[in-house]
Amino acid sequence: MKNYVIYTDSCADLTQEAYRALGLRCIPLDVIVENEEPVADDQIDIQEIYAKLRAKKSASTAAINIDRFLQSFEEAAREGLDILYLGFSSGLSSTYSSSVIAMRELQEKYPQNKFYAVDTLCASMGQGLLVYYAAKKKEAGASIEEVRDFVENTKMNLCHWFTVDDLFFLKRGGRVSAATAVVGSLLSIKPVLHVDNAGKLINVSKARGRKASIDAMFENMKKSMFPIEQNQTVFISHGDCIADAEYLANRIRTEMGIQDIQINYVGSVIGSHSGPGTLALFFLGNER
């Protein structure tokens, strides 16, 4: 069986140590703060970016372009490796579509290589969790096609639940109206959101107060999670609010018996749109 490599992008929000340990190659998206020069996501001090966001500095992001994909993928192709790219949701970025164009071009140049791209329809550590499972399949000896098919067959069971602390960022991105943001802030209304089957961020419900919104995420997990198995892995990402992430993790450990819980930051790309205080929960369930 020909060797292959799994690529993803920085919106998977895994640590650099995790990418190395899992044998993954990660391509960064760019972040632009206050109209400065774009900076690759993996070159940014995450606490510094959240400090700037708290100060209401403007931030925008840029998808991975075709040229960057060509450069990155060709490194592996020259090594004689087949390539499987697991990309950030096409419902949130044009990144995935650029990867497909790059692969078509490289397929002509390297006809002996296999190039596969999967639209995970996932975001943040939801994407990261799917990539994690894919890497474990590869470690166990699965072929590139088997891993590709596993991801395609599993992605609709990768549940994403989010809440945010400051509606300003969702307002800036057009996800809530200015009136909703003002009223919600005054009344301490916190949205509970998820990523739907089209890979888009959808507002599902509202909670009165921060703790209530986190508890609502936990209750949604209990309702939709696969029958509880203590060996299931759960990921939590946070926008510089580690205490809230630990509170949620402790509820899961104590009340559901799940011990394998991994916590990391919401990266600078997604965090630029969701803001400090974002908290997200990811697991496998009956449906999204």
Side-chain angles (χ1 to χ4, degrees):
M1 181 176 67
K2 188 175 181 180
N3 200 7
Y4 65 97
V5 63
I6 299 175
Y7 275 85
T8 191
D9 53 69
S10 59
C11 286
D13 288 347
L14 298 176
T15 64
Q16 293 301 314
E17 292 77 14
Y19 290 125
R20 287 192 290 269
L22 294 168
L24 300 164
R25 299 191 188 186
C26 179
I27 308 173
L29 282 77
D30 287 337
V31 178
I32 304 98
V33 179
E34 292 287 279
N35 297 315
E36 296 175 356
E37 288 296 311
V39 180
D41 189 16
D42 59 357
Q43 299 300 311
I44 293 175
D45 182 305
I46 191 64
Q47 291 182 321
E48 181 180 333
I49 194 74
Y50 276 113
K52 290 180 177 179
L53 292 171
R54 285 194 174 93
K56 296 297 188 287
K57 301 287 187 181
S58 65
S60 59
T61 58
I64 301 169
N65 61 32
I66 296 168
D67 287 341
R68 184 176 288 181
F69 274 121
L70 286 170
Q71 181 180 1
S72 297
F73 289 158
E74 191 160 20
E75 291 177 3
R78 285 174 179 160
E79 297 170 31
L81 297 171
D82 293 333
I83 295 170
L84 173 62
Y85 168 64
L86 307 179
F88 182 36
S89 173
S90 63
L92 298 169
S93 171
S94 63
T95 292
Y96 171 74
S97 61
S98 294
S99 77
V100 172
I101 296 169
M103 283 190 167
R104 287 174 183 162
E105 184 172 329
L106 288 171
Q107 188 70 78
E108 294 180 3
K109 188 173 181 180
Y110 298 90
Q112 72 279 12
N113 291 64
K114 296 175 181 177
F115 297 89
Y116 298 124
V118 177
D119 181 0
T120 68
L121 300 173
C122 293
S124 190
M125 288 184 78
Q127 178 183 341
L129 184 53
L130 195 58
V131 169
Y132 169 85
Y133 280 124
K136 291 297 184 182
K137 288 283 184 183
K138 181 177 184 291
E139 284 180 4
S143 69
I144 189 171
E145 288 85 4
E146 288 170 334
V147 175
R148 176 200 62 192
D149 294 345
F150 164 79
V151 174
E152 288 284 11
N153 293 332
T154 305
K155 65 187 184 183
M156 287 298 102
N157 299 105
L158 207 303
C159 301
H160 301 56
W161 288 99
F162 289 79
T163 190
V164 301
D165 194 43
D166 188 342
L167 289 168
F168 164 82
F169 295 93
L170 294 184
K171 177 186 76 67
R172 190 172 65 182
R175 298 196 179 276
V176 300
S177 68
T180 297
V182 171
V183 173
S185 297
L186 289 172
L187 299 179
S188 192
I189 299 298
K190 308 298 181 183
V192 179
L193 312 99
H194 84 126
V195 173
D196 68 6
N197 288 349
K200 297 182 178 181
L201 191 60
I202 302 297
N203 193 349
V204 177
S205 62
K206 300 174 183 176
R208 188 74 176 267
R210 176 69 167 179
K211 183 174 180 295
S213 68
I214 300 172
D215 290 339
M217 291 165 59
F218 176 73
E219 293 301 324
N220 284 323
M221 179 181 182
K222 289 202 298 184
K223 292 175 186 175
S224 59
M225 192 174 191
F226 281 148
I228 295 174
E229 298 177 7
Q230 292 189 356
N231 63 352
Q232 180 170 160
T233 298
V234 171
F235 279 8
I236 297 172
S237 60
H238 68 94
D240 203 27
C241 54
I242 185 62
D244 290 336
E246 292 289 2
Y247 166 77
L248 179 58
N250 287 335
R251 282 207 69 182
I252 294 168
R253 292 188 187 102
T254 302
E255 299 180 41
M256 303 184 74
I258 297 169
Q259 301 304 311
D260 188 5
I261 302 173
Q262 299 186 31
I263 299 173
N264 194 32
Y265 278 93
V266 175
S268 58
V269 172
I270 294 173
S272 293
H273 297 283
S274 61
T278 299
L279 187 65
L281 171 64
F282 311 98
F283 56 91
L284 290 176
N286 297 312
E287 59 182 4
R288 286 195 173 192

